Amino acid sequence: MTVPVASAAELARQHAMGTTPPGKTVEQAFARAAEVDAGPSGLNAMLWHDRDAALGAAAEVVELARQGNRPGPLAGVPVVVKDNIATLTMPTTCGSRILEGYVSPFEATVVTRLRTAGAIIIGKTNMDEFAMGSSTENSAYGPARNPLDPTRVPGGSSGGSAACVAAGIVRVALGSETGGSVRQPAAFCGIVGVKPTYGRVSRYGLVAFASSLDQVGVFGRTVEDAAIGLGVIAGRDRYDSTSADVAVDDYVATASESLHGVVIGRPREYFPDSLDARIRERCDAALEKLRELGATVRHVSLPHTDLAIPTYYIIAPAEASSNLARFDGVRYGVRAKATALREMYADTRSHGFGREVTRRILLGTYVLSAGYYDAYYRKAQEVRALIASDFQNVFDRGVDVLFTPTAPTPAFPIGAKADPYEMYLSDIFTATANLAGIPALSLPIGRVDGLPVGGQVMGRHFAEAALFRVAFAIERALGEAAHR
Amino acid sequence: MSVTENEVRHVAVLARLGLDADQIPTIAAELNGILAHMEILSRVDTSAVGAVTGIGAAGTPLRVDGGNQIPLVRPREAFAPAMRDGFLLVPRLATHEDQDAESP
């Protein structure tokens, strides 16, 4: 089994020059999906695909080039997107029974931007139902598997997208982040994943889970693949009023910049005594490389980090309980047979939602209910402000980026985490960035027991370029050691 | 604070979720297990901070109240069960399996 080596940039260049037909690349992607068994009998990473539409899109790329149009940065490059991102020719089910058969009448802005850049959307990927999970085990379509060890999870909730990149089917994929759902699967699968600043990328067409936390994120096999993908989808969108009118940097251009003058913070709360010593060692080895490249490493403190999981698991379910109220059998997906309206709502939702989604809707409804709102929801929003101010304080003191482990463990076996809160702790190092709205990126920095370990780079609002600058440097400095 | 089984039933009604009676004790125990971890927040002094109301410098912007901006690729008729005089016709609830009886 050989993983295709051409990068997204190289594929786009070959397609633009006409040395490789995009249709051939698309066929290779489908052949690779068959080779690794990306469907339900294997990795269960891809839920839907549309070969005819993909080949049609590849022919359009050729035709546009023939007409003299400038090829986009992803010309003819196959891409997969998470199943909670609206597409026109394939279902958008969010990995849920309640949206079975639902095909969106509109397209997500990120998908439109990918297609405008020449990308070919070849499939939709498996995910934890409504993005609620950290392992892609909570899917109505069954768990996805990690291509590096199919007995283990690929991480979640965007595990299907991560698995498709790690398995060599595509170089670029879209996921979504609410508490770490791109970075953690990227770490578990040994690839790159970036969560942009809140407002950096349009959420139009991303099915809402927790609207103050959600962002579309990008997976890449390499830092460059992810940088190109984010550059394509970033920027203001008139259909999402929370998308920001802030100029989009050339993230790929940061690859050539030195690290002299860059101050990197090592927050002590992300390296607790309980952290696996081998993960700590991989992180410190990466930091040492950054020091050798001219960066200054400074020990810093983010004192409210241990409050992130309780805070996140109040705010996110609260918002989810509101957002998911729309799925009641009237406007979307399946409808239970019933003779009374309230009975129809309850039956549709009870049979349509899986166990984790039901649990979070109940939890969210409880913390918003009379008598508990102030104690839980309001308190969590106040603590969220403290967590955000932790980051602001270190950035105000001259720290450019922070470097931490992405997850406290490597990929765990399927079925290993039965206790809900134990699963929630998988997000312990990632949820903080979502709560603060800052950008963060995970990239491979080595292996433990043969399983990938991710290092996380976090930065100021809209400072994605600084993240990529450091990530390119780590990737270059570690070389093959990042995958050993 | 601990969640009682009655509160689970009440919250399920608010959330429009039908729960079987034998699920209630399990769900109450799960919610209590999760909420026990949230108690740490009650010990945090937040008197000097306000609750977050928006992320980032822009706060929470509002969109222009200018009517429908959603660009549909197919007309509503293409995915509506039926249309009459520009209105969507949906099946009557009690008879929604019966196509002949769906007219209002």
Side-chain angles (χ1 to χ4, degrees):
Chain A
M1 204 159 69
T2 311
V3 176
V5 291
S7 68
E10 174 61 17
L11 285 171
R13 193 184 64 78
Q14 290 175 9
H15 298 150
M17 291 178 65
T19 54
T20 303
K24 182 181 175 189
T25 303
V26 168
E27 290 286 17
Q28 284 174 340
F30 281 115
R32 179 69 184 166
E35 185 185 9
V36 300
D37 196 359
S41 60
L43 296 176
N44 202 20
M46 215 189 293
L47 293 179
W48 325 112
H49 64 271
D50 189 339
R51 182 189 295 264
D52 290 342
L55 290 171
E60 279 179 37
V61 170
V62 174
E63 178 58 21
L64 285 169
R66 194 187 63 77
Q67 292 171 6
N69 292 289
R70 193 175 167 191
L74 289 173
V77 176
V79 171
V80 292
V81 302
K82 190 175 179 178
D83 197 34
N84 60 350
I85 297 173
T87 51
L88 296 171
T89 63
M90 288 176 273
T92 299
T93 72
C94 298
S96 180
R97 194 173 294 127
I98 207 165
L99 281 175
E100 192 174 344
Y102 173 70
V103 179
S104 172
F106 60 92
E107 179 175 81
T109 295
V110 289
V111 173
T112 306
R113 289 187 177 177
L114 281 176
R115 292 195 303 103
T116 304
I120 315 285
I121 314 297
I122 66 164
K124 304 287 289 286
T125 57
N126 203 357
M127 57 182 284
D128 284 304
E129 184 180 9
F130 285 102
M132 296 182 196
S134 305
S135 63
T136 315
E137 292 171 288
N138 300 332
S139 168
Y141 301 95
R145 297 178 179 276
N146 192 319
L148 303 175
D149 178 351
T151 67
R152 292 176 185 266
V153 303
S157 63
S158 313
S161 288
C164 284
V165 174
I169 299 167
V170 292
R171 296 289 300 215
V172 178
L174 294 189
S176 70
E177 272 258 6
T178 306
S181 288
V182 167
R183 286 164 288 157
Q184 186 251 27
F188 280 14
C189 290
I191 60 172
V192 178
V194 57
K195 180 209 90 78
T197 307
Y198 186 83
R200 175 74 294 176
V201 173
S202 170
R203 292 183 296 117
Y204 179 74
L206 170 67
V207 178
F209 161 14
S211 303
S212 77
L213 299 159
D214 296 341
Q215 274 290 283
V216 174
V218 181
F219 293 100
R221 183 143 196 112
T222 62
V223 176
E224 183 191 63
D225 292 336
I228 294 171
L230 182 60
V232 164
I233 65 169
R236 168 78 180 157
D237 172 26
R238 70 190 180 100
Y239 297 128
D240 175 8
S241 57
T242 64
S243 66
D245 193 9
V246 176
V248 178
D249 296 309
D250 181 348
Y251 304 128
V252 177
T254 63
S256 58
E257 295 175 22
S258 93
L259 292 185
H260 285 284
V262 174
V263 178
I264 297 171
R266 181 188 186 277
R268 70 172 64 98
E269 291 81 4
Y270 287 70
F271 295 87
D273 292 342
S274 57
L275 181 66
D276 186 320
R278 297 167 300 175
I279 292 177
R280 178 197 309 273
E281 187 185 294
R282 298 295 182 280
C283 288
D284 284 334
L287 281 165
E288 188 53 36
K289 290 285 185 189
L290 293 172
R291 238 187 232 112
E292 290 170 10
L293 293 168
T296 301
V297 177
R298 197 186 287 174
H299 290 268
V300 298
S301 176
L302 299 164
H304 298 98
T305 300
D306 64 330
L307 304 176
I309 293 298
T311 302
Y312 175 86
Y313 278 96
I314 289 173
I315 293 171
E319 295 187 22
S321 70
S322 174
N323 274 324
L324 270 59
R326 72 192 66 176
F327 302 110
D328 56 10
V330 174
R331 285 159 291 185
Y332 307 93
V334 298
R335 174 188 291 188
K337 293 176 185 173
T339 53
L341 188 62
R342 287 182 187 280
E343 184 191 347
M344 187 277 285
Y345 288 155
D347 284 357
T348 298
R349 288 164 64 78
S350 301
H351 292 107
F353 291 136
R355 191 168 176 184
E356 179 63 23
V357 172
T358 299
R359 184 185 292 129
R360 294 202 199 186
I361 289 174
L362 290 169
L363 179 62
T365 306
Y366 177 78
V367 299
L368 289 175
S369 63
Y372 302 106
Y373 178 92
D374 284 340
Y376 289 110
Y377 183 72
R378 185 175 180 79
K379 188 72 179 184
Q381 289 288 39
E382 290 169 351
V383 175
R384 182 179 187 177
L386 292 174
I387 291 167
S389 70
D390 281 355
F391 285 106
Q392 196 56 52
N393 288 340
V394 294
F395 293 139
D396 286 349
R397 289 174 190 161
V399 170
D400 295 302
V401 299
L402 297 156
F403 187 80
T404 75
T406 306
T409 66
F412 45 84
I414 291 172
K417 299 205 177 193
D419 177 63
Y421 201 81
E422 192 190 347
M423 183 70 85
Y424 298 168
L425 290 173
S426 302
D427 303 335
I428 195 164
F429 299 146
T430 50
T432 47
N434 301 79
L435 289 166
I438 60 172
L441 177 155
S442 177
L443 77 164
I445 57 167
R447 294 203 174 184
V448 167
D449 294 333
L451 298 168
V453 173
Q456 177 175 230
V457 190
M458 297 187 275
R460 296 183 176 91
H461 290 112
F462 299 104
E464 282 82 1
L467 268 54
F468 279 111
R469 180 182 177 188
V470 171
F472 273 119
I474 296 173
E475 183 182 59
R476 201 166 44 234
L478 289 177
E480 283 304 307
H483 300 283
R484 283 201 298 263
Chain B
M1 282 179 274
S2 71
V3 185
T4 65
E5 292 185 17
N6 273 341
E7 283 173 319
V8 171
R9 288 188 195 91
H10 174 62
V11 168
V13 170
L14 292 176
R16 296 181 300 167
L17 285 165
L19 300 179
D20 294 335
D22 59 353
Q23 290 180 283
I24 306 282
T26 308
I27 290 174
E30 285 177 352
L31 294 184
N32 280 318
I34 294 166
L35 288 167
H37 294 279
M38 314 303 189
E39 294 302 326
I40 188 175
L41 298 184
S42 67
R43 300 194 289 273
V44 181
D45 180 6
T46 54
S47 56
V49 296
V52 166
T53 55
I55 293 300
T60 304
L62 300 175
R63 71 173 158 227
V64 176
D65 187 11
N68 185 17
Q69 301 177 15
I70 300 174
L72 303 179
V73 291
R74 294 183 285 273
R76 287 179 176 79
E77 290 82 351
F79 54 89
M83 297 282 289
R84 183 192 296 166
D85 301 330
F87 291 96
L88 292 165
L89 293 184
V90 296
R92 282 176 197 250
L93 191 67
T95 57
H96 70 274
E97 291 290 286
D98 183 356
Q99 295 299 310
D100 296 332
E102 73 178 16
S103 299

